[in-house]
Amino acid sequence: MKAAFYTLGCKVNQYETQIMEQRLKEAGYEIVPPDGFADVYIINSCTVTAESDRKTRQILRRLKAGNPKALAVLSGCFPQSSVERAKTIPEADIIAGTRERADICRLIKEALETGERVVSVSPFDKKEEYEPVRAEGFYGHTRAFVKIEDGCESYCSYCVIPYARGPVRSKLTDAIRDEISGLASNGFKEAVLVGINLSSYGKDCGLTLEDALRAACDTGIERVRLGSLEPNIITPSFIDCVVSLKKVCPHFHLALQSGCDATLHRMNRRYTTGRFREAVLSLREAIPGCAITTDIIVGFPGETDEDFEKSLTFAREMSFSQAHVFPYSKRAGTKAAAMPEQVAKTEKARRSRLMIETCAESRRLFLQSHVGKTIPVLFETASDRVFDGFAPDYAPVKVKTDDDLKGKIKDTIITGCDSDACLGSVN
Ligand code: SF4
């Protein structure tokens, strides 16, 4: 039997697709690319925004139109956060929650044998255990995403993730060391530690993110990168730990969401712009030249023109290496969805444009700052003799060469940059 995966959303979802692929392979399935013919299609869905829901529905419709006899599995955060909404999608033959990944083979077998729709979405248990899984590889990737934490209990007022992912649970440090050692011996050079709320790592078992970092670095892997972090994790002991571990990449993705304290308060974010500034300045002081990237929501309910101006000014002051800008997306069941003063779509678009333009300038300066330097780049993909890779600070680098650089870390002289990457040459 041939199986194909569509993965939407975050790095955790990509890791979980890897785990499901491993399970299906062990069960004798052949994994084929999603645009090819398959007997079973698995959509590992995301539900962070209305747009991700729309994409999930569109993929299912298209798949079934192109291959009506195939089995379509809707799995992941969409059905887990709302099984009733998932059931309204006629193309979904199997509906499985985020807790049912381990059962994927059994659910497919049941649907094939009965010819009936299978729905298996169970609620989280307060004492939910961390699912003991281990990635052996990361098909089609050069950097391996390693999930070490699941769940979130922060309940930011705009976010449905806590409902789709349940309570915080963490992978123990021995398992982290074991998994990353395996990936290193399988040729991976970089491990990216990811979680639903990575900053909550260890909250359930008396460990800290520093413990996880030490375990990850105590392996043959050459680079360890951190996924998205909450600003409050940036403490003197965290910084001391990062500085002491040479394999940790000098790139910190700190989710800001808004540069206005009144908006942060309505978002139920647990820090102020003052605390965020302190985190950024202490990182830049301890690790000169480190990259700070971020996420910013514009058009949150109640965000006035003045509030937005404050957010824009703060983003300019922080001079991010890169910023992902999102227009606020109303999610059913969240506190923010019921808030008054929802911002008009056109106004959200205008604010997105302005925030993107503002952050593009600091991005340009960040790329420019590499010119003339020699930096170790991990090359990942290639087209027409042009290899693309990332520096430790996550600056994208392009090199034109006849040598095969894929999967290699090479010292690269940065000679210039274009609109979205540094350009370089390898000796
Ligand atoms: S920290 Fe907030 S935004 Fe992030 S997953 Fe948790 S609730 Fe959502």
Side-chain angles (χ1 to χ4, degrees):
M1 290 266 281
K2 292 182 176 180
F5 283 82
Y6 277 91
T7 304
L8 292 143
C10 65
K11 294 182 175 77
V12 171
N13 254 17
Q14 293 176 43
Y15 174 90
E16 289 161 354
T17 290
Q18 168 68 29
I19 299 300
M20 286 194 276
E21 283 191 13
Q22 285 175 198
R23 288 206 169 103
L24 286 175
K25 267 190 170 177
E26 284 153 18
Y29 285 80
E30 178 196 348
I31 306 299
V32 296
D35 50 7
F37 171 86
D39 304 290
V40 183
Y41 293 95
I42 295 114
I43 293 87
N44 193 3
S45 67
C46 164
T47 195
V48 160
T49 63
E51 176 60 13
S52 34
D53 286 359
R54 189 192 63 73
K55 277 193 188 141
T56 299
R57 290 174 186 275
Q58 185 194 46
I59 290 169
L60 280 160
R61 263 198 307 277
R62 199 179 61 232
L63 280 177
K64 274 290 185 170
N67 188 348
K69 288 206 177 68
L71 207 63
V73 182
L74 171 56
S75 77
C77 292
F78 186 142
Q80 186 70 44
S81 69
S82 172
V83 65
E84 292 316 315
R85 273 191 312 123
K87 285 179 186 170
T88 65
I89 306 177
E91 293 87 0
D93 303 304
I94 297 175
I95 295 174
T98 50
R99 301 179 78 237
E100 276 69 33
R101 276 184 306 274
D103 270 349
I104 193 75
C105 295
R106 181 183 65 74
L107 297 175
I108 293 170
K109 194 162 172 287
E110 183 185 334
L112 289 171
E113 285 169 0
T114 62
E116 301 289 323
R117 170 185 259 192
V118 174
V119 179
S120 180
V121 178
S122 53
F124 288 102
D125 184 322
K126 274 210 171 39
K127 294 242 166 296
E128 189 85 13
E129 294 287 319
Y130 188 88
E131 186 193 9
V133 290
R134 175 194 151 123
E136 304 300 339
F138 216 75
Y139 308 134
H141 291 253
T142 305
R143 291 177 301 131
F145 300 152
V146 179
K147 175 187 164 184
I148 65 169
E149 185 273 348
D150 205 339
C152 182
E153 297 161 20
S154 294
Y155 293 94
C156 301
S157 61
Y158 52 83
C159 187
V160 289
I161 299 302
Y163 310 101
R165 287 284 174 168
V168 169
R169 51 239 194 251
S170 310
K171 181 179 284 180
L172 299 179
T173 46
D174 288 349
I176 294 173
R177 190 179 292 105
D178 185 38
E179 184 171 15
I180 294 179
S181 297
L183 290 165
S185 52
N186 289 342
F188 287 87
K189 301 275 189 302
E190 180 176 312
V192 186
L193 303 185
V194 298
I196 294 300
N197 186 346
L198 194 58
S199 303
S200 293
Y201 175 84
K203 192 164 161 288
D204 56 312
C205 56
L207 292 169
T208 66
L209 188 54
E210 291 141 50
D211 296 323
L213 272 173
R214 279 187 276 271
C217 292
D218 182 20
T219 65
I221 207 86
E222 294 185 36
R223 298 191 337 186
V224 173
R225 191 177 302 278
L226 281 163
S228 185
L229 298 171
E230 298 296 305
N232 290 334
I233 193 86
I234 309 299
T235 61
S237 75
F238 177 85
I239 291 180
D240 290 347
C241 172
V242 167
V243 169
S244 70
L245 298 169
K246 299 304 172 218
K247 293 180 180 181
V248 176
C249 293
H251 164 219
F252 304 93
H253 188 86
L254 299 185
L256 171 66
Q257 305 303 13
S258 176
C260 163
D261 287 334
T263 307
L264 286 174
H265 182 69
R266 289 195 312 286
M267 287 176 163
N268 193 29
R269 300 288 287 168
R270 315 302 172 68
Y271 52 87
T272 62
T273 53
R275 176 68 182 92
F276 191 95
R277 181 186 290 112
E278 182 196 304
V280 169
L281 296 181
S282 51
L283 280 168
R284 285 179 175 157
E285 189 190 337
I287 311 165
C290 70
I292 310 282
T293 57
T294 197
D295 302 323
I296 303 174
I297 294 173
V298 298
F300 187 76
E303 185 186 65
T304 62
D305 290 345
E306 293 72 41
D307 293 343
F308 176 64
E309 275 312 312
K310 283 184 189 151
S311 195
L312 208 56
T313 305
F314 188 76
R316 197 176 290 118
E317 179 199 337
M318 291 299 103
S319 186
F320 293 111
S321 315
Q322 187 169 31
H324 305 289
V325 178
F326 305 91
Y328 166 70
S329 176
K330 197 175 181 177
R331 307 307 293 139
T334 62
K335 283 207 177 89
M339 285 181 186
E341 299 168 271
Q342 299 279 329
V343 178
K345 200 169 178 190
T346 47
E347 178 55 15
K348 283 195 269 188
R350 185 188 75 86
R351 292 179 186 179
S352 288
R353 215 176 29 257
L354 287 174
M355 186 61 85
I356 289 168
E357 280 163 16
T358 297
C359 297
E361 179 51 21
S362 52
R363 171 77 175 165
R364 191 186 63 74
L365 294 172
F366 167 69
L367 295 176
Q368 192 68 33
S369 70
H370 296 76
V371 176
K373 293 180 181 164
T374 298
I375 46 181
V377 173
L378 171 53
F379 290 96
E380 302 194 19
T381 53
S383 64
D384 300 337
R385 300 175 47 237
V386 175
F387 286 82
D388 290 281
F390 286 97
D393 65 5
Y394 211 49
V397 179
K398 290 180 186 167
V399 164
K400 194 163 192 153
T401 176
D402 293 326
D403 304 337
D404 178 8
L405 302 181
K406 196 164 187 308
K408 298 185 180 117
I409 296 181
K410 287 284 185 182
D411 284 343
T412 306
I413 304 163
I414 305 302
T415 52
C417 47
D418 62 16
S419 57
D420 57 13
C422 298
L423 309 173
S425 62
V426 170
N427 286 345

